[in-house]
Amino acid sequence: MRQFALMIALSSAVSPVSAGEWQRLSGDEVQAALEGRRLVYGSGAWQEFSASGRTLYNVGRDSWGYWSVRDGKYCSSWPPSDLWACYALESDGDAVRFIGESGGITTGR
């Protein structure tokens, strides 16, 4: 269920930078950008990231998974799979984007 991990949106906790200039977030910045947040995506789907490490994604129905920060990246796992997918997180001050290991980018506002 990697598609859930790819959904990212703007978080007010991201450090401000010049608009249009993408900067990679550190592990602490990734944690601050996501923990305790509900992110809403352009499709109308939303996702919550709890401090407990649980995440809830909803696009008409609930899907529960797990998230953490590992080696400075956002990582997620969606049962029944126990595999973790990790993504670098960047911000331009107005948006955040996840960059997958294969180079795929998902941006949210």
Side-chain angles (χ1 to χ4, degrees):
M1 297 209 175
R2 289 187 116 178
Q3 69 272 20
F4 298 126
L6 294 175
M7 300 299 174
I8 306 303
L10 177 64
S11 169
S12 61
V14 174
S15 302
V17 296
S18 299
E21 181 182 332
W22 292 99
Q23 292 186 354
R24 176 111 0 143
L25 301 182
S26 70
D28 289 342
E29 291 168 327
V30 170
Q31 188 79 31
L34 299 178
E35 186 175 308
R37 307 276 188 223
R38 174 185 272 207
L39 305 178
V40 179
Y41 308 111
S43 66
W46 55 265
Q47 187 172 3
E48 294 177 346
F49 301 84
S50 71
S52 71
R54 294 286 297 186
T55 184
L56 173 61
Y57 178 82
N58 184 289
V59 65
R61 66 179 179 86
D62 290 348
S63 179
W64 285 95
Y66 299 93
W67 78 283
S68 68
V69 177
R70 298 177 178 189
D71 297 324
K73 296 180 178 182
Y74 160 82
C75 300
S76 62
S77 177
W78 298 90
S81 174
D82 60 356
L83 299 176
W84 288 80
C86 297
Y87 304 85
L89 189 62
E90 295 182 342
S91 173
D92 72 352
D94 292 323
V96 294
R97 66 184 182 183
F98 279 17
I99 302 171
E101 292 178 12
S102 65
I105 297 174
T106 299
T107 302
R109 305 202 175 281

